[in-house]
C-alpha cells in the first residue's frame, strides 16, 4: 500500500511540474457572433470571408470576422541556485540531510550462536521405537 501511494504521489508531482512549465496558446475565430474554429497549439482556421473583404496585407476595420488569442505562459525559471541561500535555509538543509541519513542506519546483525554447528546424526528414530506420536 505504501508503494502505491509513493508511486501515485510521484506521478502527480511529475504532472504538476509538466503542466506548470508548459506554455500554450488558444486561438478562436469568430465570424460575426458564431465561433467558427477553436485551436490549441496552432492557428485557427478562418471561415474564408475575410479573403473577399480585404487582402492579406491589410485588414479592413469593418470586417465581420474577428480573432481572439489567449496565451498562457509557463514558468521559465525552475533551477534554483544553492549558492545564494541565507543562514536559516542552510541550517534547515543541514538538519534535514542529517536526519535523512539516520533513516538508513542498518539494524544490528542478529547473532546465531549455533550457526556453525550441524545437528547430530540420526541413528534411530526414537518416536518409532517408543511408539509415541502426537495427534
Amino acid at each position: 500500500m505504501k508503494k502505491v501511494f509513493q508511486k501515485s504521489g510521484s506521478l502527480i508531482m511529475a504532472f504538476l511540474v509538466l503542466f506548470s512549465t508548459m506554455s500554450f496558446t488558444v486561438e478562436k475565430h469568430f465570424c460575426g457572433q458564431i465561433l467558427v474554429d477553436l485551436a490549441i497549439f496552432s492557428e485557427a482556421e478562418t471561415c474564408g470571408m475575410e479573403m473577399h473583404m480585404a487582402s492579406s496585407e491589410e485588414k479592413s476595420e469593418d470586417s465581420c470576422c474577428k480573432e481572439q488569442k489567449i496565451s498562457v505562459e509557463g514558468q521559465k525559471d525552475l533551477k534554483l541556485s544553492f549558492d545564494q541561500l541565507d543562514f536559516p535555509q542552510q541550517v534547515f538543509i543541514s538538519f534535514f540531510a542529517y536526519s535523512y541519513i539516520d533513516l538508513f542506519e542498518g539494524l544490528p546483525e542478529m547473532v546465531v550462536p549455533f550457526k556453525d554447528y550441524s545437528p547430530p546424526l540420526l541413528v534411530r528414530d526414537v518416536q518409532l521405537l517408543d511408539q509415541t506420536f502426537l495427534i
Side-chain angles (χ1 to χ4, degrees), residues 110-126:
M110 294 181 59
V111 178
V112 180
F114 304 111
K115 176 174 72 172
D116 297 330
Y117 301 107
S118 60
L121 294 175
L122 193 61
V123 179
R124 300 182 203 123
D125 195 3
V126 177

Side-chain angles (χ1 to χ4, degrees), residues 57-93:
E57 296 172 358
E58 61 181 46
K59 284 195 170 189
S60 65
E61 302 268 331
D62 58 346
S63 174
C64 66
C65 296
K66 64 179 180 176
E67 292 190 17
Q68 185 179 15
K69 183 184 273 190
I70 302 169
S71 295
V72 177
E73 292 293 324
Q75 290 181 353
K76 299 282 184 201
D77 52 343
L78 285 180
K79 187 174 181 181
L80 298 174
S81 60
F82 291 108
D83 57 344
Q84 299 174 354
L85 297 176
D86 56 348
F87 183 69
Q89 290 173 337
Q90 291 176 357
V91 169
F92 173 75
I93 289 175

Side-chain angles (χ1 to χ4, degrees), residues 125-135:
D125 195 3
V126 177
Q127 289 181 340
L128 284 176
L129 286 175
D130 295 338
Q131 291 190 359
T132 56
F133 304 105
L134 293 175
I135 296 177

Side-chain angles (χ1 to χ4, degrees), residues 4-66:
V4 172
F5 285 127
Q6 185 179 13
K7 287 184 180 186
S8 63
S10 63
L11 187 66
I12 289 170
M13 287 175 32
F15 278 120
L16 180 69
V17 169
L18 175 71
F19 289 125
S20 68
T21 58
M22 188 173 72
S23 302
F24 63 94
T25 303
V26 177
E27 288 193 16
K28 298 177 185 178
H29 180 79
F30 291 96
C31 190
Q33 297 294 323
I34 299 170
L35 177 65
V36 175
D37 191 26
L38 174 77
I40 301 173
F41 301 117
S42 64
E43 292 186 12
E45 293 182 10
T46 61
C47 60
M49 293 287 290
E50 54 212 21
M51 281 195 284
H52 299 294
M53 299 186 79
S55 66
S56 61
E57 296 172 358
E58 61 181 46
K59 284 195 170 189
S60 65
E61 302 268 331
D62 58 346
S63 174
C64 66
C65 296
K66 64 179 180 176

